[in-house]
Amino acid sequence: EVELLQETIDVEVPVVVEPTPPGGEDAKVDEEAPADPEAPTTTTVQQCITFTGRFWDSILDYETLDTVCKSWRQFAEFWTVLLRFAQSGPQQRAFLVSRDTVMRILDLYLGQASPMQATLFKDSKRVRTSMSSRYVKPKWHHAFETVAELVQCSFTDATTVLEKGIPPALLDTTPNTLPPHSRKMILNQKLYTLALGRRVACEPLARIMAHWSWEWPDYSKSVVQIVQRGLAA
């Protein structure tokens, strides 16, 4: 079953060029420089060819997730299914990490406040669903539990950048590397400010913060400041 999940083929897709952030390494490049005529117009990605893999790829598709959010009053069961899959083994967690599931879940939670709005979805016609009412709040707990599972089976910057070793809270003996978009979401302060302020899934958030705080003083300091602001509010 695990081998079937990971079986893929290479597929060519159009290249999407994201704008360089202000102040980035390429900020000094002439904005009117002509495009490279030999630059590739397609890139190769892996696409599952088995039923199990294609099923989960369809579940994690942006269109599917946006449809789920339209029924946010009843979407707790959807996140429960995803959580149970993540909890079923290291190979399943590795698959979900490779599919940028952390980014996809947190992007849905943040909505218009998501940092992906200015990059990944800048030119898309994606319509965000308003998920709140006066009497009912969406149940995000199992969604954040899934994020915590995937974060805790992955390296942090303490390992990949600071070279401090292996975090003690790792779930799997063969850790994964979070894709860049997922890492960006984990390091987004607005995520913690909003979630803690709304008292959403505090226990999974604590697991995420504890995992990433290990041997990384700058991240730990930011977490302490966010918690202090929340207590003072």
Side-chain angles (χ1 to χ4, degrees):
E1 179 182 353
V2 170
E3 292 179 354
L4 290 179
L5 183 66
Q6 299 291 357
E7 188 174 352
T8 60
I9 59 173
D10 290 338
V11 178
E12 285 194 346
V13 298
V15 169
V16 178
V17 180
E18 294 186 2
T20 303
E25 294 181 356
D26 299 327
K28 298 180 181 179
V29 177
D30 185 2
E31 295 180 357
E32 298 181 359
D36 183 0
E38 297 183 358
T41 57
T42 63
T43 186
T44 301
V45 298
Q46 289 189 328
Q47 184 179 78
C48 286
I49 60 175
T50 60
F51 174 79
T52 306
R54 285 188 286 114
F55 169 78
W56 283 106
D57 276 345
S58 66
I59 289 294
L60 296 171
D61 182 75
Y62 294 118
E63 184 176 349
T64 302
L65 294 174
D66 287 342
T67 300
V68 169
C69 288
K70 292 178 181 178
S71 302
W72 59 269
R73 289 177 175 82
Q74 294 85 30
F75 73 0
E77 290 81 3
F78 175 86
W79 301 121
T80 301
V81 172
L82 189 60
L83 173 60
R84 296 294 177 260
F85 181 69
Q87 292 174 332
S88 60
Q91 292 85 2
Q92 287 79 1
R93 287 190 285 272
F95 177 84
L96 292 176
V97 169
S98 72
R99 289 322 193 247
D100 238 343
T101 306
V102 170
M103 180 275 290
R104 293 170 189 264
I105 293 176
L106 298 180
D107 171 72
L108 290 176
Y109 174 72
L110 291 174
Q112 294 291 345
S114 170
M116 297 298 109
Q117 279 291 100
T119 55
L120 193 61
F121 305 119
K122 181 179 180 181
D123 299 321
S124 73
K125 298 180 181 179
R126 189 177 183 191
V127 178
R128 300 281 187 170
T129 301
S130 177
M131 292 180 284
S132 65
S133 74
R134 185 174 180 179
Y135 303 104
V136 182
K137 301 296 181 183
K139 297 179 180 179
W140 287 100
H141 188 83
H142 282 173
F144 275 85
E145 284 279 3
T146 303
V147 171
E149 287 285 318
L150 302 184
V151 168
Q152 282 192 266
C153 74
S154 304
F155 287 122
T156 68
D157 281 16
T159 299
T160 59
V161 178
L162 303 178
E163 299 181 349
K164 295 292 186 178
I166 305 298
L170 271 174
L171 296 178
D172 301 331
T173 56
T174 305
N176 307 286
T177 299
L178 286 176
H181 289 317
S182 291
R183 177 184 175 278
K184 183 175 182 178
M185 297 298 283
I186 290 298
L187 298 180
N188 184 264
Q189 290 193 13
K190 188 172 293 185
L191 165 68
Y192 303 101
T193 301
L194 290 177
L196 292 175
R198 297 169 180 170
R199 293 176 174 81
V200 174
C202 293
E203 191 274 333
L205 277 174
R207 289 171 53 193
I208 294 170
M209 292 188 290
H211 181 63
W212 272 77
S213 293
W214 180 80
E215 292 291 348
W216 190 3
D218 290 341
Y219 180 89
S220 301
K221 181 179 179 180
S222 296
V223 166
V224 171
Q225 291 174 345
I226 292 171
V227 172
Q228 288 177 334
R229 288 197 298 267
L231 294 174

